[in-house]
Amino acid sequence: MRLADFILSSVEPILAEWEVFARSVGAGEHLDQLALRDHAGQILQATARNMKAPQSAAERAKKSKGLSPPQEGDTLDGASESHAVDRLGLGFDLLEVMSEYRALRASVLRLWDESSPDEHDRDVDDITRFNESIDQSITKAVASYTSRVDQARDMFLAILGHDLRNPLNSIGMNAQLVPLVSTDPAEAIACGEQISRNVSVMERMIADLLDYTRTRLGAGMPVTPASLDLGNLAVELFEEFRTANPARNIQLRTEGDLNGQWDSDRVRQAISNLLGNALQHGSADYPVTLSLRGEASNVFIEVHNGGDPIPPGELQKIFDPLIRGSSAEHPKKNRPGSIGMGLYIAREVAKSHSGRIDVSSTAEEGTAFTIRLPRGSAPREGQPILDAEHIDEM
């Protein structure tokens, strides 16, 4: 059987191997079959049709250089572009996307060989055409992936510039007022307090940006694990948020042994981000609940709120500030002093402690973010442990 015909007749076993490989990639570990297979079926069928279509030497030369326009009705390019964008939204990095195509190429050729096809004088040509189509698909996927990242980065920088400008303008205005009210101590103190508050807002934004940059560059989230009672930390945060939000119903629940080895500042940062997110996006008609539960090897931290659920299409990309989208029904909005990185940083804090964070969201049950922290969580392999001096140098 010719290779193109084999592909069309063996889509299901090829997709089964694609699914197994995609699940082995970090971002695909908890995806269902539909998400794992994504556009793979369309890519396979379009590849086979592309292989069967007549092709001149000139057309082959153009295709090898990425200059050949798609044929009418050919979905190869469109499927690859859509696949790359979807994988980006699910948290796959570019190397993981490319590895899927590498695994697909290997699976098709191996399964075809195992089928003991009759020898044909066009076998070499079939393999060449197959590799050309896969390479064309990879090229389109990479271009689509990088284009979407560039668009998201530009938007992110625009939002960052806008959000930093507001406190900076306030600082400038109050600095100009200080000499004018110097004879009135109360007014001068008020201006100084306003300047201090806005400096704190900018410091939080810049700190989030530095954390984001470190993790994106592969340095990881710096952590310094030490003995910590998460119950005491939770009480402190509970009192802090309840005082700052007197109109909201905030509850605390603890259960079991909550002691372990964690970085107190980082875990505080993660929980604070989740509580701030819950207060911002949850309905004031429902309580925001911080729950901690100690089990034999892990401690689970859950922040729950009621209100409108997160749209299903947003759940897989909710932790990435460059990818997380918005719609007319669910516009993206950041709370004061935030540049939309709270959930991303919470995820990185969990990962830096060899843990994980999960989210569930339904209209009936509300929205819950759950962090699992191994009780004796050493940093994951390759994760730096840095002291304050080294952190400041990054």
Side-chain angles (χ1 to χ4, degrees):
M1 183 184 296
R2 298 285 295 276
L3 180 53
D5 295 325
F6 171 79
I7 292 173
L8 291 174
S9 65
S10 307
V11 170
E12 181 54 35
I14 295 172
L15 288 180
E17 294 208 355
W18 168 292
E19 180 184 338
V20 170
F21 179 81
R23 182 172 280 111
S24 71
V25 176
E29 181 181 0
H30 297 282
L31 299 181
D32 58 22
Q33 183 184 79
L34 183 62
L36 288 169
R37 296 192 176 192
D38 191 48
H39 294 80
Q42 291 175 264
I43 293 171
L44 272 177
Q45 294 176 4
T47 296
R49 290 195 298 271
N50 186 277
M51 292 169 60
K52 294 167 73 73
Q55 178 177 266
S56 66
E59 289 172 336
R60 172 173 293 180
K62 286 184 178 180
K63 181 184 291 186
S64 67
K65 301 173 183 177
L67 302 176
S68 178
Q71 299 178 3
E72 184 177 356
D74 187 0
T75 60
L76 177 60
D77 291 345
S80 298
E81 292 170 345
S82 298
H83 175 72
V85 171
D86 287 351
R87 283 303 196 237
L88 175 61
L90 292 172
F92 284 66
D93 64 35
L94 186 55
L95 290 178
E96 290 170 339
V97 174
M98 295 178 67
S99 71
E100 286 189 295
Y101 285 93
R102 184 180 66 245
L104 175 63
R105 190 198 309 262
S107 292
V108 168
L109 294 177
R110 178 180 55 78
L111 291 172
W112 182 49
D113 180 65
E114 291 176 354
S115 70
S116 301
D118 295 332
E119 292 187 8
H120 195 284
D121 57 6
R122 299 293 300 278
D123 284 349
V124 173
D125 184 59
D126 283 356
I127 295 174
T128 301
R129 292 290 301 274
F130 172 67
N131 285 327
E132 287 175 350
S133 293
I134 293 296
D135 289 342
Q136 179 184 352
S137 187
I138 293 174
T139 299
K140 292 297 183 180
V142 169
S144 178
Y145 188 104
T146 54
S147 175
R148 181 57 64 91
V149 169
D150 289 342
Q151 292 174 10
R153 182 181 296 112
D154 290 343
M155 179 62 70
F156 173 77
L157 291 175
I159 294 171
L160 174 61
H162 178 272
D163 288 352
L164 281 173
R165 184 173 56 191
N166 290 336
L168 186 60
N169 285 341
S170 179
I171 290 171
M173 291 175 61
N174 280 277
Q176 292 175 9
L177 283 174
V178 170
L180 301 178
V181 298
S182 58
T183 57
D184 186 339
E187 289 289 340
I189 291 173
C191 288
E193 291 175 344
Q194 184 66 26
I195 291 173
S196 179
R197 282 194 295 270
N198 281 282
V199 167
S200 296
V201 167
M202 295 179 69
E203 285 177 342
R204 288 197 299 272
M205 291 183 181
I206 293 170
D208 284 353
L209 183 60
L210 288 174
D211 284 338
Y212 174 79
T213 303
R214 288 190 190 103
T215 55
R216 284 291 191 176
L217 292 177
M221 180 74 73
V223 294
T224 54
S227 296
L228 175 64
D229 184 343
L230 284 179
N232 293 336
L233 177 61
V235 170
E236 292 176 11
L237 286 169
F238 169 69
E239 295 294 345
E240 175 185 323
F241 273 84
R242 189 172 63 170
T243 300
N245 301 271
R248 298 296 295 272
N249 182 0
I250 304 175
Q251 301 178 0
L252 172 64
R253 299 172 184 171
T254 61
E255 175 186 347
D257 181 8
L258 303 178
N259 289 280
Q261 295 288 320
W262 304 291
D263 186 312
S264 175
D265 290 338
R266 288 301 186 183
V267 175
R268 174 187 291 274
Q269 184 181 21
I271 299 175
S272 294
N273 287 345
L274 294 181
L275 285 170
N277 183 76
L279 289 167
Q280 177 192 3
H281 296 286
S283 170
D285 297 330
Y286 298 89
V288 170
T289 304
L290 170 61
S291 303
L292 290 86
R293 184 180 78 257
E295 296 188 354
S297 303
N298 303 285
V299 171
F300 293 86
I301 305 168
E302 179 184 280
V303 175
H304 178 275
N305 64 268
D308 293 335
I310 301 170
E314 299 291 320
L315 278 176
Q316 296 296 336
K317 50 190 176 182
I318 195 71
F319 296 102
D320 196 327
L322 286 188
I323 309 305
R324 187 168 70 249
S326 63
S327 63
E329 295 78 16
H330 299 87
K332 181 165 59 176
K333 53 183 179 179
N334 299 330
R335 67 182 186 274
S338 166
I339 50 176
M341 290 187 180
L343 296 181
Y344 173 83
I345 290 174
R347 182 185 70 180
E348 292 303 311
V349 169
K351 288 169 61 177
S352 71
H353 288 84
S354 301
R356 60 173 293 110
I357 184 170
D358 295 295
V359 57
S360 63
S361 186
T362 65
E364 297 77 19
E365 300 295 330
T367 298
F369 288 88
T370 304
I371 297 176
R372 177 184 64 81
L373 293 179
R375 194 176 292 279
S377 57
R380 56 180 174 156
E381 185 176 353
Q383 180 69 33
I385 303 180
L386 303 179
D387 57 31
E389 179 181 355
H390 290 122
I391 293 172
D392 290 339
E393 291 174 354
M394 291 190 66

